[in-house]
Amino acid sequence: MSIALATHDLVKNFGGLRATDHVSLTIHTGARHALIGPNGAGKTTLINLLTGVLTPSQGNITLEGENITRLSQHARVQRGLVRTFQINQLFADMSPLQSLCLAVSERNQQGRDWWRVAGSDKAHVDEAEEILTRFGLRDVMMQQTRFLPYGKQRLLEIALAIACKPRVLLLDEPAAGVPEEERHEIIDILAALPKDVTVVLIEHDMDLVFSFADRISVMVNGALLTEGGVDEIARDPQVRAVYLGESGHE
Amino acid sequence: MAPSAHQMMLDQARWRWSESLFWLSSLAVLFVFPSKALLFSQIAIMGLFALSLDLILGYGGIVSLGHAAFFGVGAYAAGLMAKHGMGDPLLGLGVAAFVAAVIGWLTSFLLLRGSDLTRLMVTLGIALMLFELANRMAPITGGADGLQGMMVGPVLGLFSFDLFGKTAYLYALTVLFLLFLLARKIVHSTFGLSLRAVKGNALRAGAIGISVSGRLVAIYTLSAAFAGIAGALSAQTTQLVSLDVLDFHRSADVMLVLVIGGVGWLYGGIIGAIMFTLMQDWLAGITPQYWEFWIGLVLVCLVLVGHDRIKTGVQSMVARLGGKGGAA
């Protein structure tokens, strides 16, 4: 099996705090790989390192064999490494249609087109509309994003990443804050992602993790604790200790 | 049948009848009030300057307290050309735009990181440095006495500048209109949409593959060129360049003008310039020493009431008068 994304001995220090502690992670192509761990385990820091929001203090990152450690955020996106955010990061003043059209145009290297009206390229608009339809956002695609209900915004958060045609998709708690009765929309969307897209899921919700993932890595205190198949992890006494310990605090 | 998504995207850039009305009126005022031509050309130049600020503030989200730097550089470039025998106005505009763009491009890299406060201070600092440079280089710039001996030729070799400012206004208005069309084209393009994305959420803009720095450098450079052209127009139509073109009050005024007219709207700068200059002209006649008091009062009221409320009011009025929707 080929490797989609890998880190080698990745370290990130914030002053005296080591947020990422020698993490070597291998994600296989087409995997549904979950990254779990208690709050403050360094999951989001790791995502920020992978996507180029942060620069590692040490170690390197490869995407399909290419060293991307020093590449800018947008250069990684152009190579197919795309993420969503735990807290919605949307374009509040733009409509979902405009946001999606922009993402599709950027992917097609048309973002610098300063002459033609945005949306001139019918193929791009059609693709944006198709994604919006798939995500159940077609009815609200002309509204300003800021006025959309939270659940719809959460779907748009993922739709925007899909418009970048990811080869590796990093989902940072996609169901965070979504009420129980709307969760199934997110879960259905995740289940319907194309099989050739590699997905890394960061999640707190164990039901979601166990139903979606085929491989799980557990992080504690910035380091990888263990990695394995779903059953393996579910039985692992170390993991149970970490999670029981955490739930004990709640 | 409901319009297609494709049509809805294109509709956002549609030219509205109210826009034609606006530009035709701006031409008509010259024939109704021919004696005010000099004042009108001042307005057109201020409008272009404020439009240039709107490109970075309203579309790029970059605050600046030193935009006079580019206005001043453009004014000196055009002034020096006219002084040294190259008095063709369009050539002057071109050189002014180029020089201002180069300085804009070079300084744009200082604005990529940091907060709004950092950007305010960096832009302010650059304008201060240019002011003192112009002051120090008196043999070239004329220093505090201003640039002497400009000889500006006729526009296109045909239309000489007259005492009443008729040519000046038509020239300034034409340049403003053409550059407005260009700016309008740009903000409605995919590039313009990407600027809105960068301004709205730079983190996400990067995450959908937009080079945030690249876009900011591009719009800052373009804005500097526009401001340089405004400065050149001012130099050519008044045949005068003094240190005042680089002064801090000019940077502050243009910000005031844009805020009065509304940020992120393109027409805001022009409407602000009309209101500001007319108010200044009228109030200065009534209370020559204290007119800025009233400008200040208007500014405070406008900012507190908010443009959106005023704009919705005007738009619903326009809609009732006929047609649909307001301008841009």
Side-chain angles (χ1 to χ4, degrees), chain A residues 99-162:
Chain A
S99 307
L100 271 274
C101 280
L102 178 62
V104 173
S105 297
E106 286 292 344
R107 198 192 76 223
N108 288 296
Q109 314 287 325
Q110 307 263 306
R112 284 187 190 78
D113 183 342
W114 56 271
W115 186 247
R116 294 181 312 154
V117 174
S120 297
D121 216 319
K122 192 166 182 305
H124 294 179
V125 185
D126 288 346
E127 187 184 337
E129 193 182 4
E130 184 273 315
I131 297 171
L132 288 164
T133 309
R134 191 158 20 116
F135 278 72
L137 293 166
R138 200 189 173 283
D139 295 340
V140 295
M141 70 182 179
M142 289 302 289
Q143 287 178 23
Q144 252 190 42
T145 298
R146 66 165 78 248
F147 298 125
L148 297 184
Y150 182 78
K152 296 279 182 203
Q153 290 195 11
R154 210 63 201 135
L155 287 166
L156 180 59
E157 177 72 36
I158 304 172
L160 210 42
I162 295 300

Side-chain angles (χ1 to χ4, degrees), chain B residues 20-242:
Chain B
S20 304
L21 190 69
F22 178 86
W23 290 103
L24 285 173
S25 328
S26 67
L27 185 62
V29 290
L30 179 63
F31 301 99
V32 184
F33 307 103
S35 64
K36 292 280 184 196
L38 278 173
L39 185 70
F40 294 154
S41 66
Q42 253 183 58
I43 294 178
I45 292 164
M46 183 56 114
L48 177 59
F49 187 27
L51 172 73
S52 78
L53 183 64
D54 201 12
L55 285 176
I56 57 164
L57 181 59
Y59 294 89
I62 303 172
V63 285
S64 169
L65 260 186
H67 216 46
F70 308 115
F71 185 93
V73 163
Y76 273 110
L80 285 167
M81 301 246 321
K83 185 185 173 178
H84 296 289
M86 288 166 287
D88 182 66
L90 293 184
L91 181 67
L93 290 191
V95 172
F98 178 75
V99 176
V102 168
I103 295 182
W105 182 76
L106 287 174
T107 54
S108 66
F109 295 94
L110 305 173
L111 300 170
L112 296 178
R113 304 270 172 269
S115 62
D116 284 350
L117 182 65
T118 319
R119 286 170 168 175
L120 280 177
M121 292 305 113
V122 168
T123 51
L124 178 63
I126 289 165
L128 285 176
M129 290 193 290
L130 285 173
F131 179 89
E132 286 306 341
L133 269 178
N135 197 7
R136 190 81 181 75
M137 300 196 307
I140 302 170
T141 62
D145 298 330
L147 199 60
Q148 309 286 331
M150 282 174 64
M151 297 285 286
V152 182
V155 180
L156 298 171
L158 295 171
F159 309 103
S160 300
F161 288 102
D162 55 292
L163 272 178
F164 308 102
K166 198 175 149 204
T167 307
Y169 180 53
L170 289 173
Y171 173 51
L173 183 64
T174 309
V175 172
L176 170 64
F177 180 60
L178 293 177
L179 289 179
F180 171 84
L181 287 183
L182 179 63
R184 195 183 185 283
K185 194 96 183 134
I186 289 171
V187 302
H188 284 115
S189 69
T190 307
F191 173 79
L193 193 58
S194 77
L195 282 177
R196 279 176 65 185
V198 168
K199 184 191 174 202
N201 191 334
L203 178 63
R204 190 58 190 254
I208 61 168
I210 297 173
S211 159
V212 173
S213 305
R215 301 295 151 91
L216 291 180
V217 167
I219 196 63
Y220 198 75
T221 306
L222 181 77
S223 165
F226 272 43
I229 291 175
L233 282 177
S234 166
Q236 292 170 349
T237 56
T238 60
Q239 314 252 353
L240 184 83
V241 184
S242 68

Side-chain angles (χ1 to χ4, degrees), chain A residues 9 47 51 56 61 76 80 84 90 101 112 151 211 213 219 234 240:
Chain A
D9 211 20
I47 290 278
T51 53
I61 306 162
R76 297 182 200 205
T84 67
L90 300 169
C101 280
R112 284 187 190 78
S211 68
M219 275 188 90
R240 296 180 77 112

